Amino acid sequence: MTDNAQHLIDLTAFTADHCLKCNICTAACPVASITPLFPGPKTVGPQAQRMRLPGAPSPDHSIDYCSGCGICTLVCPHGVRVMEINTQAKAQMTATHGISLRNWFLSRNERWGRLGTPFAPLINFGLRLWLARWFAEKAVKISARAPLPRWAGYTFRGWWKKQVRQHPRPAPASDAQRVVYFHGCSTNTYEPHIGKLAVAVLEHLGLYVEIPPQTCCGLPAQSNGDFKAARRYARKNIAFLVDYARRGIPIVGTSASCMTAIKGDYQHVLGLDDPDAQLVAEHTYDFMEFLAKLHREGKLPTDFHPIERELPYHAPCQLKAHGMGRPALDVLDLIPGLRCWEIDADCCGIAGTYGFKAEKRAIAETVGKPIAEQVEAASAEVVVCDTETCRWQITSLTNATTIHPVELVAQAYGLTVDRYTPPVTARQM
Amino acid sequence: MTKTTQTGSDVIVIGAGLAGLTAAVHAVQTGATVRLIAQGWGQQIVTPGWISVCDRAKDDVIAELRGYAALHPAHPYALAGDEGMIDCLERFRAITKAIGVPYGACVKAGHNLRLTTLLGAIQTPLLAPASMVSGDLTGVTGEILLVSFTGWRDFYPALAASNLAKQGITARAVLVDAPGAPQAWDLWPVELARRFDDPALRQRVIDQLRPHVQNAAKIGFPAVVGLEQHVEALADCTQQLERPCFEIATLPPSVPGTRLSNRLRRWLLRQRARVQIGHPVVHGIVENRRCVGVDVGALGHTNPFYADQFILATGGLYNGGIQSDESGRLWEPIFDLPVKGPGGTGREKWYHANLLVHRGHAVHRHTGLRVNTRMQPLDADGAPVLDNVYAAGHLLTGFNPLTDGCAEGIALATALKAVQVALALEAQKSY
Ligand SMILES: Cc1cc2nc3c(=O)[nH]c(=O)nc-3n(C[C@H](O)[C@H](O)[C@H](O)COP(=O)(O)OP(=O)(O)OC[C@H]3O[C@@H](n4cnc5c(N)ncnc54)[C@H](O)[C@@H]3O)c2cc1C
Ligand code: SF4
Ligand code: SF4
């Protein structure tokens, strides 16, 4: 077979041809089995694709109910990129019918995070008023039950700039000591402590951290079908990062879902099929994946202080898509006394922006139920999870505090940062 | 239990079919650290969910199998050894009981079950989910009531009843509204099963059925009676309708197969094993005839995973363990292990002219890996290719998984043998 023919077959739409119609994906789809509104991945994906030009609009609007969790792609034994096919079809629908105000709003989280920062106390207060939530549900169809983040009142980037100004660092001898940190929007404006801890850990490992300009990964726009905006974000990020990739400098990020976008979706969903996108993807690592890699190479100090805890861990659907296994568990297993176990759940239900939508909130809550049940059965007060929206969703489904694995790693190294209390020691059982 | 070391885990199992999942369970039970990696779920989600060991056996199944193995030393049963057969079946029953999807057998000890299909044909596996075992037709004299849902395309009980009648079994059909949806046209088995989990929706089915029970000795439902709460759901039907209720395998996706897969995954995770489903192993990292790791095809870049021992359970031609192309080439994609095929040039010897030929087509019987009694893949001269890679399940040559009625038995027996050799447990009979 010629390389060109192989390339065509590998293109997302053509993976539909590998579909045997076995319905394994239908059995696994967390949405299809709980709502009659969605007939399931095989039906709206490869089945709808089989007589359609790749990229032509799908006649089937039920695809709007696909959460984009990607479980279908994971369970398919034949390599069909079901979620990717569905997301592309969704984008065609948006291109034809336009984007709703609500979906546009949810796609521009990056903006609201930034613009809201100076008004954090007011917004945090206002958004928790019953009336405001009721109004948002009625007028914009954002669920009144959906978990909302808190604005930190300062940005991670602002903190970093000050940090670099106050403590100038000598440039490293070689690029091998450099690492790029991709913080994502949520760390920048809602959870700067995650970024600060990530930097503390990387510096503890003797690495010189670089934080180049960056924008939203584009995933919220992509999952709302706004490919134009998503590609704009993607191209900007690629331009910001490709130089580092070219120099072989790893790009690491603490939001597993942003990293999915950069590593995979830019190519397989958005169709940015150029060498720069590939180069950036090749050098991009999830934060915990990066630590696991250092460990495999014998470069991770394991002089961890013990943390005597047994904690449930949720692997977000978008983290499962990486194909990197569960690096958070592999690394946390190195901490003496710490016993983390993976909750058996495909998806927490939030799937990026899906669970924020009023008409989908009940579905999102049902999808996340197995997590709540297992956390409750274990009487766990803290849940570990690598992605922010999943953490918010898990907190709303359980009474547990949710933390990023970097918080445990930092604690075990004895590292801390300003304006932060380690939740695990704070909430001893 | 699972502890990352510099070299990785004790065992990597590749494949999430019956062979891979049970191999992972056995390995975890010995205290080994286990990582299971699979591109997707295995075929248990498109099959009935029962365990065929030797479907054609008329009386003692194990005796028949012993006789067969003695005559066919290259058959996977002969290679795995017959004492392993009994052991793996007992272990399978024990683990399925522990995870809440218990499997059972015929009341006539050692005999195959007699289970109806949705067409009213009788199939004869050795073990089946307890929900199906209660529909065993062995010695049944009374009338069977067969239940389906108005408008559902996947089961026409009147057809099954008429076919059963031809085999001397009295059956009567009834249609009721599906739980929670009067029009059931497009409902998938898993969707129906979730509705049966809901006591209120289930109650409506039970209430509709009550006047139809009459003289029925047993009541058969399609295998959609509950997903998470299936034991409770079936017990509820049995108790309220005052007849043994049972399940009949449906078209894919299989609810019993989904239940089994989900519960095994949950158990493995709770034992702190890693279960990574979603990406293919693309390459084995081999040094001096030893596999040290495997590369997983992932987003952005491949990811290596290291271990001491490797169980290859990637399935046969239909599951991706063996690949083929239009030229008739057959290959094993991870280690490029030698693949035995039907022979001849191109695909001339693959198929018989008669599609439904007795005992199937040559390509299905002969395609696969040759292994020794240690489950090690062999080269053309009969020597092991790699020291620490063991193969199990459909991947093996020497049987036809489509026609022989032994596919699940082979998966269980060879998976257990592979783990015992890999972890050097042959001597210790029980752990
Ligand atoms: C689940 C399922 C069950 C079915 N069951 C039955 C049944 O029981 N009985 C029955 O009679 N029929 C059945 N059918 C229908 C039957 O499969 C189709 O009618 C038949 O396959 C059509 O054959 P075809 O060659 O026209 O198209 P296909 O077999 O679908 O092949 C079309 C080919 O064209 C390729 N292609 C499409 N666009 C392009 C492009 N732009 N450039 C290059 N290549 C392209 C596709 O990738 C594909 O390889 C079933 C279909 C499905 C999905
Ligand atoms: S997409 Fe994959 S899992 Fe789904 S029906 Fe097709 S082959 Fe089966
Ligand atoms: S992406 Fe998730 S919700 Fe969408 S079809 Fe696939 S499994 Fe279902």
Side-chain angles (χ1 to χ4, degrees):
Chain A
M1 209 178 293
T2 65
D3 279 356
N4 191 38
Q6 187 60 50
H7 179 69
L8 272 181
I9 288 169
D10 289 344
L11 280 178
T12 295
F14 281 88
T15 64
D17 280 2
H18 299 298
C19 176
L20 298 184
K21 313 293 187 290
C22 66
N23 274 309
I24 287 178
C25 55
T26 310
C29 171
V31 173
S33 57
I34 59 173
T35 169
L37 299 171
F38 185 56
K42 184 207 82 167
T43 309
V44 299
Q47 183 111 328
Q49 180 69 54
R50 70 192 202 266
M51 299 288 165
R52 189 174 71 194
L53 269 177
S58 171
D60 181 357
H61 290 194
S62 70
I63 204 155
D64 180 51
Y65 275 89
C66 161
S67 76
C69 68
I71 296 303
C72 44
T73 300
L74 293 179
V75 299
C76 173
H78 305 290
V80 181
R81 293 200 194 113
V82 196
M83 176 278 283
E84 291 82 345
I85 292 170
N86 292 350
T87 308
Q88 291 177 345
K90 234 189 272 178
Q92 284 300 329
M93 230 168 75
T94 307
T96 317
H97 302 282
I99 187 167
S100 70
L101 174 70
R102 191 266 319 269
N103 288 2
W104 176 85
F105 177 84
L106 288 173
S107 305
R108 302 297 188 283
N109 166 59
E110 160 257 343
R111 236 176 255 181
W112 317 133
R114 253 184 315 119
L115 298 178
T117 295
F119 314 104
L122 193 66
I123 299 182
N124 290 339
F125 174 72
L127 282 183
R128 276 157 184 83
L129 290 179
W130 171 84
L131 194 65
R133 296 301 302 266
W134 179 83
F135 180 76
E137 170 142 349
K138 290 294 163 229
V140 225
K141 300 201 169 53
I142 291 183
S143 165
R145 295 200 303 273
L148 292 187
R150 275 179 187 279
W151 273 254
Y154 69 101
T155 66
F156 169 72
R157 295 192 71 85
W159 170 84
W160 174 247
K161 273 193 197 126
K162 210 161 100 198
Q163 196 72 8
V164 173
R165 215 172 33 242
Q166 288 173 352
H167 313 281
R169 306 164 300 164
S174 88
D175 278 354
Q177 281 149 276
R178 285 177 204 264
V179 62
V180 169
Y181 176 55
F182 188 93
H183 48 70
C185 313
S186 162
T187 294
N188 195 33
T189 52
Y190 309 134
E191 302 179 330
H193 65 278
I194 307 266
K196 286 150 67 181
L197 290 168
V199 168
V201 168
L202 292 171
E203 290 186 337
H204 179 75
L205 301 176
L207 292 163
Y208 180 89
V209 180
E210 305 232 23
I211 305 181
Q214 47 192 268
T215 184
C216 171
C217 66
L219 194 54
Q222 173 190 301
S223 51
N224 282 291
D226 189 352
F227 274 24
K228 239 171 93 182
R231 287 193 183 116
R232 216 165 35 235
Y233 284 128
R235 289 212 176 88
K236 272 195 195 165
N237 280 323
I238 293 169
F240 289 139
L241 299 172
V242 70
D243 221 37
Y244 296 96
R246 216 167 267 137
R247 285 157 61 194
I249 300 173
I251 300 150
V252 308
T254 36
S255 172
S257 52
C258 304
M259 303 334 268
T260 314
I262 300 175
K263 272 176 160 187
D265 294 351
Y266 286 1
Q267 293 167 70
H268 302 315
V269 179
L270 299 178
L272 300 184
D273 197 19
D274 57 80
D276 282 1
Q278 263 175 36
L279 200 66
V280 169
E282 223 171 279
H283 289 86
T284 297
Y285 297 87
D286 165 74
F287 188 84
M288 299 306 289
E289 176 189 24
F290 182 66
L291 296 190
K293 178 172 180 278
L294 290 180
H295 178 61
R296 276 199 304 270
E297 293 164 357
K299 295 182 196 154
L300 189 79
T302 52
D303 52 343
F304 293 116
H305 302 299
I307 301 178
E308 294 291 343
R309 292 294 292 268
E310 182 157 337
L311 299 177
Y313 166 79
H314 173 60
C317 56
Q318 279 144 355
L319 176 137
K320 294 188 185 104
H322 284 239
M324 60 188 179
R326 307 290 182 266
L329 291 178
D330 291 348
V331 172
L332 295 180
D333 263 358
L334 301 169
I335 298 174
L338 186 59
R339 291 170 57 84
C340 292
W341 53 276
E342 183 178 339
I343 299 169
D344 182 38
D346 288 324
C347 170
C348 70
I350 201 90
T353 58
Y354 187 86
F356 289 90
K357 301 175 182 177
E359 76 280 12
K360 289 161 185 132
R361 184 64 202 160
I363 297 174
E365 287 168 355
T366 312
V367 168
K369 236 173 77 185
I371 298 185
E373 286 165 0
Q374 289 168 69
V375 168
E376 198 174 302
S379 316
E381 294 185 8
V382 175
V383 178
V384 187
C385 176
D386 319 63
T387 290
E388 51 281 335
T389 49
C390 306
R391 285 195 296 272
W392 308 338
Q393 168 84 341
I394 294 170
T395 302
S396 86
L397 295 174
T398 65
N399 286 321
T401 304
T402 47
I403 60 172
H404 189 286
V406 71
E407 300 186 54
L408 293 166
V409 174
Q411 190 183 326
Y413 275 138
L415 305 169
T416 190
V417 291
D418 58 330
R419 291 196 250 184
Y420 169 73
T421 323
V424 170
T425 38
R427 288 186 68 169
Q428 285 295 359
M429 281 201 282
Chain B
M1 196 182 284
T2 294
K3 209 74 193 155
T4 320
T5 66
Q6 206 74 22
T7 55
S9 38
D10 294 332
V11 184
I12 283 180
V13 176
I14 311 171
L18 205 52
L21 288 168
T22 55
V25 168
H26 295 317
V28 165
Q29 284 177 334
T30 70
T33 60
V34 176
R35 190 184 291 278
L36 182 142
I37 307 175
Q39 167 150 18
W41 276 126
Q43 299 298 303
Q44 69 277 13
I45 298 183
V46 290
T47 56
W50 59 50
I51 306 293
S52 282
V53 170
C54 182
D55 280 3
R56 65 164 181 272
K58 292 278 177 281
D59 35 45
D60 189 332
V61 177
I62 301 293
E64 169 105 10
L65 184 149
R66 281 207 175 104
Y68 185 82
L71 293 173
H72 301 88
H75 190 274
Y77 276 149
L79 296 168
D82 50 15
E83 66 291 1
M85 190 68 235
I86 298 165
D87 198 11
C88 75
L89 293 171
E90 274 168 12
R91 284 162 190 267
F92 184 72
R93 290 188 66 169
I95 182 69
T96 54
K97 190 171 167 207
I99 61 176
V101 285
Y103 273 59
C106 183
V107 282
K108 268 170 87 180
H111 283 57
N112 276 325
L113 293 157
R114 290 168 52 75
L115 304 179
T116 178
T117 69
L118 291 185
L119 284 177
I122 293 175
Q123 295 286 323
T124 54
L126 181 62
L127 300 182
S131 62
M132 292 183 181
V133 171
S134 44
D136 188 7
L137 297 173
T138 307
V140 165
T141 49
E143 181 193 54
I144 311 274
L145 180 64
L146 298 174
V147 182
S148 187
F149 310 111
T150 312
W152 198 43
R153 290 175 181 139
D154 286 3
F155 180 28
Y156 300 89
L159 174 63
S162 75
N163 281 335
L164 283 172
K166 290 175 199 155
Q167 300 166 85
I169 290 155
T170 322
R172 179 161 51 88
V174 58
L175 293 178
V176 296
D177 287 345
Q183 289 150 342
W185 307 311
D186 279 334
L187 288 180
W188 297 107
V190 178
E191 212 169 346
L192 279 166
R194 270 197 204 274
R195 294 179 187 195
F196 266 94
D197 279 345
D198 180 335
L201 295 181
R202 189 161 75 219
Q203 192 61 45
R204 276 188 243 158
V205 175
I206 295 173
D207 291 342
Q208 292 178 72
L209 276 175
R210 221 170 251 130
H212 298 279
V213 174
Q214 300 162 20
N215 291 328
K218 292 186 183 202
I219 305 173
F221 294 81
V224 300
V225 186
L227 187 66
E228 284 295 320
Q229 312 294 329
H230 65 282
V231 173
E232 297 83 338
L234 200 69
D236 189 16
C237 297
T238 297
Q239 198 192 349
Q240 291 202 49
L241 297 170
E242 299 173 345
R243 300 287 186 284
C245 290
F246 66 95
E247 290 191 310
I248 306 168
T250 65
L251 291 177
S254 155
V255 171
T258 304
R259 289 174 191 147
L260 176 68
S261 309
N262 288 350
R263 294 290 179 101
L264 284 175
R265 177 182 61 187
R266 180 165 297 185
W267 185 86
L268 286 168
L269 291 177
R270 207 61 186 84
Q271 306 306 309
R272 305 177 72 239
R274 301 280 185 270
V275 181
Q276 302 169 202
I277 297 179
H279 299 81
V281 170
V282 291
H283 173 66
I285 310 166
V286 174
E287 290 169 5
N288 301 325
R289 292 168 38 102
R290 260 195 97 74
C291 179
V292 294
V294 290
D295 276 326
V296 170
L299 296 186
H301 41 80
T302 58
N303 273 311
F305 292 95
Y306 299 104
D308 291 335
Q309 307 291 333
F310 296 81
I311 311 275
L312 192 62
T314 44
L317 266 177
Y318 284 124
N319 318 48
I322 308 276
Q323 308 269 327
S324 67
D325 67 14
E326 64 280 8
S327 75
R329 192 165 76 91
L330 295 162
W331 70 97
E332 186 285 310
I334 298 176
F335 296 100
D336 200 17
L337 294 164
V339 177
K340 188 175 174 307
T345 50
R347 302 200 285 187
E348 61 180 16
K349 293 208 171 154
W350 283 24
Y351 300 106
H352 192 275
N354 175 2
L355 176 71
L356 298 176
V357 61
H358 180 60
R359 306 210 63 213
H361 299 276
V363 67
H364 300 137
R365 179 167 306 281
H366 296 296
T367 302
L369 304 186
R370 280 175 64 215
V371 293
N372 59 16
T373 57
R374 295 170 58 77
M375 298 295 124
Q376 290 171 301
L378 303 176
D379 64 17
D381 302 324
V385 183
L386 297 163
D387 291 338
N388 60 340
V389 174
Y390 311 89
H394 278 201
L395 184 60
L396 307 182
T397 182
F399 70 109
N400 186 337
L402 306 181
T403 58
D404 289 2
C406 62
E408 292 85 17
I410 287 178
L412 296 183
T414 55
L416 178 60
K417 185 66 186 272
V419 171
Q420 288 177 330
V421 177
L423 298 174
L425 290 161
E426 278 168 302
Q428 297 160 247
K429 282 253 63 128
S430 61
Y431 42 81

